[in-house]
Amino acid sequence: MHIAEINTMRVLILQFTDPTQDTPTPLFSHNIGVLCSCLKERKFTASVVALNGYQPGKLRAAMIENRPQYVLVDMPILSATAARRTIADVAWQFALPVAVMGHYPTCQPSRAISIPGVSALFLGEYERPAVDFLQDVRSQFDSSGLQGVWLNTAEGLVKGAPRPVETNLDSLPFPDRDVFDYGKIVAATGEAAFKAARGCARWCGQCINDIYVDLHQETNNVRRRSVGNLLAEISDVIARYEGVKRIRFYDHAFACDLAWLREFAARYRSSVSLPYSCYVPLEDVCAETAELLASSGCNRVDTMIGSGSRFIRDEVQTIHVSNEQIIGGCALLRQCGIDIFADVYVGLPYETQITFEDTINLVAKTQVRNIRPVIYYPLTGTRAADMCRENGWVSGRGEECYWRGRSVLDMPSLPARSINDLAQKLPSMLKRRRGLRIRQWLSSVFSAPKNG
Ligand code: SF4
């Protein structure tokens, strides 16, 4: 490699997006953005290309345009099949080295490192391991044993120990947004998205968070940016990209620390005069939280109601929150003038006609109008998915089902076709809630022939 090329090594990051989109465009990712900033600080050239599935034509165009020397693949669990085929093309057709990172390699590292064409894998949070590894590659040093890096070598697999997570988030650079063509995202949505924290203190059975917690053997992996650091990034983004009309905080730990939230609420309005939305678990909502959010400019909260069945919430989702907390949390937010958008799961393990009726009744009591029905998909490695697998409920229909809004489970208590029907009709059922008619309709759904 020529010395000038060594100094400016070109790294291409492939990002897998929703395969139901017609035109894939990069989706803003805080983590990929931070990685790109870290790479640029060390004089790498970094670019991001979005693929919405296995797209050999788009991959070829990306290779010609970016002429990468190393390819990093951010592998979501739900696009693992498309990513495998893409990696094979990068490795064999374009003869380029590939490293994988993100949720699938972290949750299924042994499978991910065995994908033909994969040279290296970054475990857990990837910006530091990736940059150290690529520096070694550029300098032609041996990176065997680097923390957070698994390496396929001529002698076999070398597993670096997990790398401790970054505790000082303020030490990380702001994410590079230009790699996502962020001006276009802002123009299309009027919104700028931010992460205030990393990690999550909760333990939801359907979520991969506990795999990250176990990886670093911590009981609480939440780390938070200082309010000043977050506000500085927001001001920077508003100044750089014209047309930002609202702010969205999309991490799940945004409102979980009352002391931090008090400081944020005291400073946000004087530095940013835009409304914002954030994610708040309902069990975290108290009168003070709701008031702090509203007084600082929050006009929308995204949350999860999950299931209306206490049994499913406790035993499957392990969200130990009572109906009263859910209803009360929604009431407090509503009283403060905050709109609520809630995910409601349909087809969780052990779902039956009775648990679905519980869900309808609970959601009706919350008076939340903006309901997003989510058909449960068992993410491999999670406790809820293990439960499905142990019961033999996971069909062979695969990740395609998730993207098409179809259940992948075959449960004797509720066939997939009924789950799909219930999810589709949930919003209208809530609007026209009449106990007897719904029960009659449910009875007809549940007595339908049981094939998926
Ligand atoms: S609150 Fe969100 S991020 Fe945290 S464990 Fe639950 S689903 Fe995962």
Side-chain angles (χ1 to χ4, degrees):
M1 203 179 289
H2 188 275
I3 192 73
E5 283 201 316
I6 287 175
N7 287 333
T8 58
M9 185 177 180
R10 294 181 298 277
V11 178
L12 174 64
I13 299 170
L14 298 179
Q15 180 192 44
F16 285 86
T17 56
D18 182 349
T20 60
Q21 275 183 343
D22 288 338
T23 320
T25 46
L27 197 65
F28 173 68
S29 152
H30 176 92
N31 295 353
I32 293 178
V34 169
L35 169 61
C36 290
S37 293
C38 291
L39 286 170
K40 287 178 181 176
E41 280 179 352
R42 305 282 185 94
K43 308 282 183 241
F44 289 88
T45 304
S47 47
V48 177
V49 168
L51 301 172
N52 62 350
Y54 174 61
Q55 292 188 292
K58 180 146 192 206
L59 179 66
R60 173 169 291 279
M63 292 298 171
I64 292 167
E65 187 183 340
N66 295 285
R67 296 185 302 118
Q69 292 154 299
Y70 214 104
V71 175
L72 308 184
V73 178
D74 184 45
M75 277 186 86
I77 294 175
L78 292 164
S79 295
T81 307
R84 277 170 198 274
R85 298 181 68 190
T86 305
I87 289 165
D89 281 5
V90 173
W92 313 131
Q93 283 187 29
F94 300 99
L96 285 169
V98 178
V100 290
M101 59 192 189
H103 292 328
Y104 183 81
T106 299
C107 298
Q108 300 287 315
S110 298
R111 286 192 194 169
I113 194 71
S114 308
I115 294 171
V118 170
S119 301
L121 175 148
F122 310 134
L123 210 53
E125 293 179 8
Y126 48 70
E127 64 272 324
R128 302 284 195 216
V131 171
D132 288 352
F133 170 76
L134 289 168
Q135 288 223 109
D136 280 353
V137 171
R138 182 168 63 179
S139 309
Q140 298 178 0
F141 291 161
D142 178 11
S143 45
S144 309
L146 208 58
Q147 280 188 326
V149 180
W150 286 17
L151 212 54
N152 277 322
T153 71
E155 288 74 40
L157 175 62
V158 181
K159 296 181 184 179
R163 189 176 180 121
V165 291
E166 179 59 67
T167 51
N168 178 8
L169 298 189
D170 288 3
S171 70
L172 294 169
F174 295 158
D176 181 344
R177 292 172 188 254
D178 291 340
V179 289
F180 302 100
D181 213 350
Y182 206 67
K184 273 193 190 161
I185 293 177
V186 169
T189 63
E191 183 177 273
F194 298 84
K195 254 179 140 174
R198 285 186 177 187
C200 180
R202 311 207 173 276
W203 200 248
C204 303
Q206 77 281 4
C207 179
I208 56 174
N209 181 52
D210 47 333
I211 297 172
Y212 281 80
V213 173
D214 289 348
L215 178 67
H216 300 289
Q217 299 183 339
E218 288 156 341
T219 47
N220 180 356
N221 65 348
V222 180
R223 289 135 298 138
R224 198 169 285 281
R225 297 168 69 179
S226 69
V227 171
N229 179 271
L230 179 61
L231 293 180
E233 189 199 354
I234 296 171
S235 300
D236 183 56
V237 168
I238 292 171
R240 281 165 56 86
Y241 302 100
E242 206 179 315
V244 178
K245 296 191 179 71
R246 61 181 178 276
I247 302 298
R248 179 165 62 93
F249 299 106
Y250 69 96
D251 59 277
H252 283 197
F254 174 82
C256 299
D257 179 331
L258 208 45
W260 185 92
L261 192 61
R262 285 185 193 121
E263 185 189 343
F264 173 85
R267 296 175 60 186
Y268 178 81
R269 271 236 155 113
S270 58
S271 118
V272 185
S273 57
L274 295 174
Y276 74 88
S277 66
C278 60
Y279 185 94
V280 185
L282 288 170
E283 61 269 41
D284 280 344
V285 179
C286 62
E288 185 181 1
T289 314
E291 277 160 24
L292 288 171
L293 291 171
S295 66
S296 56
C298 175
N299 61 6
R300 166 180 171 156
V301 153
D302 290 272
T303 191
M304 174 176 65
I305 292 177
S307 170
S309 154
R310 185 72 204 251
F311 168 78
I312 291 180
R313 285 205 306 276
D314 277 345
E315 301 300 324
V316 178
Q317 297 194 279
T318 51
I319 306 170
H320 303 294
V321 53
S322 66
N323 285 3
E324 291 69 30
Q325 279 176 292
I326 292 173
I327 296 164
C330 290
L332 286 169
L333 292 169
R334 210 174 30 253
Q335 282 155 19
C336 288
I338 297 173
D339 279 342
I340 305 166
F341 288 70
D343 289 345
V344 173
Y345 275 89
V346 183
L348 279 157
Y350 299 106
E351 182 93 276
T352 63
Q353 175 173 353
I354 292 167
T355 63
F356 186 74
E357 281 187 41
D358 289 344
T359 299
I360 292 183
N361 289 332
L362 175 61
V363 174
K365 284 182 190 153
T366 63
Q367 298 176 39
V368 174
R369 292 206 190 89
N370 305 299
I371 292 295
R372 288 179 301 235
V374 177
I375 293 184
Y376 167 71
Y377 185 94
L379 292 176
T380 310
T382 59
R383 281 167 287 127
D386 289 346
M387 195 178 279
C388 296
R389 211 191 51 247
E390 283 157 17
N391 281 295
W393 293 338
V394 183
S395 72
R397 293 191 290 280
E399 64 210 31
E400 169 88 4
C401 278
Y402 171 82
W403 296 110
R404 303 281 165 203
R406 301 273 178 267
S407 175
V408 78
L409 297 188
D410 284 332
M411 291 189 288
S413 61
L414 191 56
R417 196 179 62 183
S418 302
I419 294 172
N420 303 339
D421 257 12
L422 293 173
Q424 199 188 3
K425 293 185 175 139
L426 179 63
S428 61
M429 289 165 84
L430 285 164
K431 272 189 203 136
R432 298 182 292 105
R433 185 166 164 267
R434 300 272 186 284
L436 185 60
R437 279 170 48 191
I438 285 191
R439 207 154 297 138
Q440 282 166 344
W441 184 79
L442 284 175
S443 296
S444 69
V445 168
F446 283 90
S447 60
K450 295 184 178 178
N451 51 34

